[in-house]
Amino acid sequence: MNKQTITTALLALAAMAGQAQVKCHVEGTLETDAWGDEVIICEAGTDLRVVDEPRFHVKAKDGKFTYDIETDFPRLYDVFFLKQYETGRWFAGKFIAENCNVNVTMYENKRVRIVSNGEEGRKHAAKDSIEDVRFWNPVREIDDQLENPDRRAEFFMADFISAINEAKTWNVDSLPQAYVDSVRQIINHYMQNRNEMYTTKGWQLKQQRDSITDGLRPFRLAYAKEHPMLWTLYDVLDAIQNLKHADDYVNFDPSEWEPYLTLYHDKFINLYPSHPIHDQIATAETAYRLQPGKPYIDYTVRNTDGQLVPISSFIRGKVALIDLWASWCGPCRRHSKAMIPIYEKYKDKGFTVIAIARERNRQAMENAAKKDGYPWPSLLELNDENQVWRKNGAGNAGGAMYLIDRDGTILSTSTDAEELEPLIRKALNIE
């Protein structure tokens, strides 16, 4: 047996044993101390509200940090400031953790700069450099003009500028309510009719900017077709998740994202065939199709005794509301509480609620359930153990609801109790 054969065999055995085949070394520089010295590095899609491990937290010293990743496959990772993340608005950098070195530079108010000497990193950097020249550099030039405070009057209507300036400085408690309402009315009007907030010159700049950005998605799709890379598979996953949550966006255009599914099935379904991203895409596609009129899926959850059981065992033969919620999700809890009187009204007529809480610990779920007074027990999805949210297409949202008929057909994905009650009555054959 020659040396090459032995090496190949050893690599195969290591892979079978689940040992790390990818080692990525990260070196970072903080160009600001505005967000402290703690950085998060974790696999893309991780929700720190649910899964948070000490290994994600990296402390910089004198503005520098290092981090080593060992994983089974090249995977997409995020890097961002912890304090910035906690504000709800953060500039995350992304990189493929592969056998390579990655240099990270982090700033106060702009995106993280990533330089990777890995194959996937170089492929993505080539695309980014073309994007910058064709799209982002011209867009930044326009934004610099629109955001220049000395030129604001050239581009925006005077009453809009005045209202914004007033709202930045006022103390609401010391002003007449009628005045506060009038200023808010002006701001709300322009927020709802954005084309009216611009002067003729400002509108021309805005249209120029839009014409540039309108070409970005077609460029990315065309580039992906000609330059196969792992990044594209993550773009496919992102596209499916955007389509699933189309209702969350204003003026959402599905035609921007649907071609990624076609591209995947026509060309990329066999790209890196053993990579786990394909399982994630398949799961996301199944969740995307969870719409009224379609059959609900089966998956494993832990019952109140901690045993793994199929969700179908809870809903078979019943009109059931699957309530995905979390103690840290205010809207989810409001929707759940609104269902309490409906549950009480129909629980003896064949209706049930199957609640599943997405948490980091059981106590948080129990405290929230007790405070809100839920009359039904709640199952626990601890640390995304069974990937229930991903399988339901809820992503990193706090929750979702699925109303299921006795035969397992989805009747509604609404979270509005008033919309759900008549559907429940009809499914129960109650006139």
Side-chain angles (χ1 to χ4, degrees):
M1 185 179 292
N2 61 35
K3 184 177 180 180
Q4 183 177 357
T5 303
I6 294 172
T7 301
T8 303
L10 288 173
L11 288 173
L13 288 170
M16 291 174 63
Q19 296 177 15
Q21 294 299 298
V22 174
K23 295 185 179 182
C24 176
H25 178 68
V26 181
E27 293 189 357
T29 301
L30 310 187
E31 292 292 332
T32 177
D33 60 3
W35 299 107
D37 61 358
E38 189 165 355
V39 172
I40 298 294
I41 301 179
C42 59
E43 191 173 348
T46 302
D47 191 335
L48 296 184
R49 297 169 299 184
V50 183
V51 180
D52 190 4
E53 300 180 17
R55 62 189 175 93
F56 299 161
H57 296 253
V58 185
K59 281 277 193 175
K61 183 177 181 181
D62 298 325
K64 304 286 185 181
F65 66 86
T66 61
Y67 190 75
D68 290 297
I69 298 170
E70 294 190 4
T71 183
D72 51 354
F73 289 90
R75 294 175 183 267
L76 187 64
Y77 272 71
D78 285 336
V79 53
F80 49 88
F81 284 110
L82 175 62
K83 285 188 176 179
Q84 197 174 62
Y85 168 84
E86 290 170 345
T87 69
R89 298 182 64 185
W90 69 100
F91 298 89
K94 294 184 180 293
F95 63 91
I96 296 288
E98 50 187 320
N99 286 312
C100 69
N101 294 321
V102 174
N103 287 296
V104 176
T105 309
M106 305 183 70
Y107 306 92
E108 181 176 357
N109 287 312
K110 63 179 181 179
R111 64 178 181 173
V112 178
R113 182 171 180 266
I114 304 285
V115 178
S116 168
N117 66 0
E119 181 182 358
E120 288 291 327
R122 289 194 298 268
K123 289 179 182 178
H124 196 258
K127 178 190 73 72
D128 279 353
S129 64
I130 298 173
E131 260 189 35
D132 280 342
V133 172
R134 291 190 187 179
F135 301 99
W136 296 120
N137 290 344
V139 163
R140 290 185 192 107
E141 290 179 7
I142 294 173
D143 286 346
D144 286 345
Q145 293 183 67
L146 291 174
E147 295 169 7
N148 186 337
D150 296 330
R151 301 187 64 187
R152 195 168 293 162
E154 289 183 54
F155 306 127
F156 297 97
M157 301 301 290
D159 59 338
F160 173 66
I161 296 173
S162 177
I164 291 294
N165 289 337
E166 284 289 327
K168 286 181 179 178
T169 59
W170 67 21
N171 181 346
V172 175
D173 295 334
S174 65
L175 295 170
Q177 187 62 45
Y179 174 74
V180 172
D181 290 343
S182 67
V183 174
R184 285 177 174 164
Q185 186 175 6
I186 293 171
I187 295 174
N188 289 339
H189 170 78
Y190 283 115
M191 289 295 100
Q192 295 169 12
N193 303 277
R194 290 180 177 269
N195 59 314
E196 297 181 17
M197 74 170 61
Y198 297 96
T199 63
T200 300
K201 192 172 182 179
W203 181 246
Q204 290 173 345
L205 271 181
K206 199 264 186 187
Q207 292 291 87
Q208 184 181 343
R209 187 189 192 282
D210 288 348
S211 69
I212 296 170
T213 56
D214 285 346
L216 182 59
R217 191 70 58 196
F219 162 77
R220 286 177 173 171
L221 190 67
Y223 193 93
K225 290 179 181 178
E226 299 301 323
H227 302 83
M229 61 177 113
L230 181 57
W231 280 90
T232 303
L233 299 182
Y234 282 99
D235 289 340
V236 170
L237 183 62
D238 186 52
I240 299 170
Q241 291 169 341
N242 281 324
L243 288 166
K244 176 67 176 178
H245 297 282
D247 292 342
D248 297 340
Y249 302 98
V250 178
N251 299 323
F252 181 83
D253 184 1
S255 66
E256 293 186 4
W257 302 99
E258 288 167 342
Y260 279 93
L261 277 72
T262 303
L263 174 65
Y264 175 71
H265 288 286
D266 288 351
K267 189 169 183 177
F268 288 159
I269 196 166
N270 293 316
L271 180 65
Y272 307 112
S274 62
H275 197 286
I277 187 66
H278 292 287
D279 289 336
Q280 295 179 40
I281 290 172
T283 299
E285 281 198 282
T286 299
Y288 172 45
R289 297 186 177 93
L290 291 179
Q291 302 294 337
K294 302 293 184 180
Y296 191 59
I297 55 173
D298 204 3
Y299 49 88
T300 301
V301 292
R302 288 197 183 275
N303 63 16
T304 52
D305 293 329
Q307 299 173 320
L308 288 171
V309 295
I311 190 69
S312 58
S313 64
F314 294 97
I315 64 177
R316 190 177 295 114
K318 298 180 180 179
V319 177
L321 182 72
I322 306 294
D323 180 15
L324 307 179
W325 70 288
S327 64
W328 41 266
C329 177
C332 307
R333 292 172 64 174
R334 288 194 295 272
H335 296 148
S336 299
K337 284 190 285 187
M339 287 301 303
I340 293 175
I342 295 174
Y343 170 79
E344 296 289 3
K345 192 184 300 186
Y346 303 110
K347 66 179 181 180
D348 296 328
K349 297 178 172 62
F351 174 64
T352 189
V353 172
I354 307 301
I356 309 173
R358 186 182 187 220
E359 305 288 350
R360 270 195 286 181
N361 62 79
R362 175 175 292 277
Q363 194 61 50
M365 176 195 76
E366 293 177 348
N367 291 344
K370 182 178 180 180
K371 181 176 180 180
D372 293 347
Y374 302 143
W376 51 75
S378 187
L379 308 177
L380 180 62
E381 169 70 345
L382 194 63
N383 300 317
D384 281 343
E385 172 194 17
N386 298 299
Q387 298 297 309
V388 171
W389 261 243
R390 180 177 289 178
K391 291 170 184 175
N392 279 275
N396 281 341
M401 285 182 175
Y402 288 94
L403 180 63
I404 315 297
D405 205 350
R406 287 189 173 96
D407 63 358
T409 301
I410 300 171
L411 299 176
S412 175
T413 59
S414 173
T415 57
D416 188 311
E418 291 186 4
E419 291 182 16
L420 290 171
E421 184 171 11
L423 296 175
I424 293 168
R425 290 179 60 85
K426 182 178 180 180
L428 294 172
N429 296 315
I430 299 173
E431 298 298 332

